[in-house]
Amino acid sequence: MEVREPAIEYSGRKYSIEEYLEMENASTEKHEYYQGEIFAMSGGKMPHNTVCENLFFQLKLKLKGNPCKPHTSETRIYIEKNTLFTYPDISVICGEPVSLNDDSLNFLNPTVIFEVLSPSTRDYDRAEKFKLYRDIPTLKEYILVEPETIFIEAFRINSNGFWELKEYSQIEETLQLQSLQISLELMEIYEGAKFIG
């Protein structure tokens, strides 16, 4: 998903979490919430959607029978520590899903988050949003995927509690998802992308 500037219809004042949730539940469009501000989100372009669909399909396939389940951008994640409500492109929740006040709407415990980048969100996803995501106690891996060129950044938390980066830029490579104990071939992730023929 792409995030635009603060939504015009909601600008000019701060909103409580309760107000945001009430408006979001009644809305046909998705919005991010952070510290009282509401941000409109727009859909991705075809390369973005192709990569998202490939990732979800492969995760669903590889995690069949596993307690870890992938979720699309229809799933809202809430970070209690910093108030961010957002819709990652793909989130993987392991074990029993935990949600805000058991509402089954605002999930608190993703293990892996994938963001497929776009020009308007690339810098935000790499810097500020990653900083916000690091406040999720259960998060073990954060994966950034470029949809129009072969490039994946995989951030993983190590045994000392520090985040490490591994980059993938060759179509023959395999993305290792250590927390899920599975791997995804880049050829599968980028299947159907025009630039790989």
Side-chain angles (χ1 to χ4, degrees), residues 14 23-25 47 80 82 85 98 104 123 132 140 142 147 155 160 165 167 176 184:
K14 298 281 187 179
M23 289 186 292
E24 191 70 351
N25 292 340
E80 291 182 288
N82 59 45
F85 285 84
V98 179
S104 297
D123 292 341
L132 296 173
K140 304 299 182 194
Y142 180 50
F155 294 90
N160 296 317
L165 169 64
E167 298 178 347
Q176 303 293 333
L184 303 177

Side-chain angles (χ1 to χ4, degrees), residues 24-174:
E24 191 70 351
N25 292 340
S27 176
T28 57
E29 297 178 348
K30 296 176 187 168
H31 301 83
E32 247 188 22
Y33 174 93
Y34 179 59
Q35 295 187 348
E37 288 191 89
I38 296 175
F39 302 84
M41 303 184 76
S42 62
K45 295 179 180 177
M46 185 60 74
H48 178 282
N49 294 340
T50 296
V51 168
C52 284
E53 289 165 5
N54 289 344
L55 278 168
F56 183 76
F57 176 79
Q58 291 300 326
L59 287 165
K60 192 88 172 165
L61 192 65
K62 301 281 176 73
L63 292 171
K64 187 175 182 181
N66 192 297
C68 299
K69 305 295 181 193
H71 302 269
T72 67
S73 60
E74 294 301 311
T75 299
R76 190 162 60 224
I77 299 296
Y78 172 51
I79 307 174
E80 291 182 288
K81 187 172 179 180
N82 59 45
T83 78
L84 178 68
F85 285 84
T86 189
Y87 298 83
D89 286 314
I90 296 175
S91 51
V92 180
I93 296 175
C94 294
E96 194 67 31
V98 179
S99 61
L100 177 64
N101 301 321
D102 294 321
D103 62 7
S104 297
L105 290 170
N106 302 287
F107 294 96
L108 311 175
N109 62 327
T111 299
V112 183
I113 287 176
F114 292 81
E115 292 288 8
V116 178
L117 303 176
S118 65
S120 64
T121 65
R122 182 176 288 109
D123 292 341
Y124 172 59
D125 287 339
R126 280 207 176 100
E128 185 181 353
K129 197 167 194 181
F130 182 29
K131 185 178 179 182
L132 296 173
Y133 278 151
R134 291 199 299 269
D135 283 336
I136 302 173
T138 57
L139 190 66
K140 304 299 182 194
E141 294 181 271
Y142 180 50
I143 315 297
L144 296 173
V145 183
E146 288 281 359
E148 298 190 49
T149 186
I150 300 165
F151 190 60
I152 296 175
E153 295 166 286
F155 294 90
R156 303 181 179 99
I157 197 162
N158 65 22
S159 57
N160 296 317
F162 296 106
W163 286 90
E164 298 177 337
L165 169 64
K166 180 168 176 54
E167 298 178 347
Y168 299 82
S169 58
Q170 303 297 320
I171 197 66
E172 300 83 12
E173 290 184 283
T174 300

